[in-house]
């Protein structure tokens, strides 16, 4: 195995787990984290959660699961070349979307609106909550008891108010520090993955066209290269050959720019990574091209009228479910009625009042945990079970 650079996260410098455990045998601490994530229930749910297109719209569109695997692949390739901790970037990448609601961003916006009087809902805080609290698999602890650096990488952003209640993992937001380079790389890999696969899915769905994309420099430049080299290529191969070149350009640019920043700042160790400005970055030119592609996708894909129709429906499903459960707790499965004692948005610290009674915020948090955990089709079915008057099955 190649030796890690001194500023990588390693077995030696990890801040470890909240609950002490014996060192794993035959695998590293971060491989153990990755394995726990893969075996979690929340990870399996990703298969049936929307990225842009709802799961049943087509078998070939990305889901949160395939998205997370693509993020992990890109992040690992870059981390390996930078001699960073590949197992850690893999664990962070596979876990980064565990807290996503059904129906993608529309679902998150709807749930956040429902929760506005109870601390709000934010998917990356929820991902941390999943691995810290909600997974119930181990005898000795709630959650997955992951290493600090994995948890830190999952928490990409966080308000100062929430950070103050999160303990160690929230500290960097208060001290204006950066997370590990592994976390920074995983974050960029997320962006590289979704921008590229959303182009692919957008084209496949017919909601965006090659002609429209020809106005986007990053896409157009690579399309030209492929067309010149292979004038007779069919559309599917043409698209794939273009996208693979885009991924390569973005990954290589990220790698070189990050290496340059590390050298400029003469970073020696993890403390140096945390104190420096963000080290992982695209060059100015690629940053601009990437921004142009993002705004193209926003206008032409995420706000396409057919996607908007689905988003509106998703909004309604989530708000209806939330209101129904808040109005009558007896509609909730018993485990969520009982779980409500641990309602704080940030997990480990219960927000119940002094008498240990359940507050309305606790209860709302339990409802939000239940809804956030649903897959697209489960949410649709649950909505039907509660609201469809012609539905007689319970
Ligand atoms: Mg993501």
């Amino acid at each position: 195995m190649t030796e890690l650079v001194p500023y990588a996260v390693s077995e030696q410098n990890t801040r470890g787990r909240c609950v002490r455990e014996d060192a794993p045998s035959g695998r590293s601490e971060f491989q153990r984290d990755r394995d726990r994530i893969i075996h979690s229930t929340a990870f399996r749910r990703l298969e049936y959660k929307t990225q842009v297109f709802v799961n049943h719209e087509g078998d070939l569109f990305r889901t949160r699961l395939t998205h997370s695997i693509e993020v992990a692949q890109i992040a690992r390739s870059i981390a390996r070349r930078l001699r960073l901790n590949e197992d850690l970037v893999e664990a962070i990448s596979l876990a980064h979307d565990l807290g996503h609601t059904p129906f993608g961003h529309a679902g998150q916006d709807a749930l956040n609106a429902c929760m506005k009087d109870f601390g709000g809902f934010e998917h990356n805080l929820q991902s941390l909550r999943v691995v810290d609290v909600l997974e119930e698999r181990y005898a000795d602890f709630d959650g997955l008891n992951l290493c600090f650096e994995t948890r830190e990488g999952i928490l990409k952003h966080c308000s100062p108010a929430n950070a103050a209640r999160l303990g160690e993992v929230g500290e960097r937001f208060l001290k204006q520090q950066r997370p590990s380079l592994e976390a920074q790389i995983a974050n960029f890999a997320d962006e590289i993955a979704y921008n590229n696969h959303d182009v692919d899915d957008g084209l496949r769905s017919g909601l965006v066209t090659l002609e429209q994309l020809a106005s986007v420099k990053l896409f157009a430049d690579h399309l030209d290269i492929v067309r010149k080299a292979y004038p007779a290529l069919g559309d599917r191969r043409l698209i794939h050959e273009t996208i693979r070149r885009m991924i390569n350009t973005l990954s290589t640019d990220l790698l070189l720019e990050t290496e340059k920043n590390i050298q400029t700042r003469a970073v020696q160790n993890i403390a140096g990574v945390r104190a420096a400005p963000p080290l992982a970055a695209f060059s100015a030119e690629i940053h601009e091209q990437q921004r142009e592609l993002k705004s193209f996708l926003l206008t032409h894909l995420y706000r396409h009228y057919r996607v908007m129709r689905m988003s509106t429906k998703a909004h309604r499903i989530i708000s209806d479910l939330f209101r129904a459960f808040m109005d009558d707790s007896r509609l909730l499965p018993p485990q969520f009625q009982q779980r409500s004692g641990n309602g704080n948005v940030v997990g480990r610290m219960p927000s119940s009042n002094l008498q240990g009674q359940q507050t309305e915020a606790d209860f709302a948090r339990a409802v939000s945990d239940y809804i956030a955990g649903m897959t697209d089709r489960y949410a649709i079915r649950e909505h039907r079970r509660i609201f469809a008057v012609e539905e007689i099955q319970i």
Side-chain angles (χ1 to χ4, degrees), residues 190-203:
D190 185 20
E191 201 175 317
I192 296 176
Y194 68 68
N195 277 327
N196 284 285
H197 65 49
D198 288 353
V199 168
D200 190 36
D201 283 353
L203 287 166

Side-chain angles (χ1 to χ4, degrees), residues 51 64 67 71 96-97 100 156 190 194:
Q51 189 65 26
R64 291 248 166 239
H67 161 69
V71 174
H96 83 283
D97 272 351
H100 248 293
K156 278 189 279 196
D190 185 20
Y194 68 68

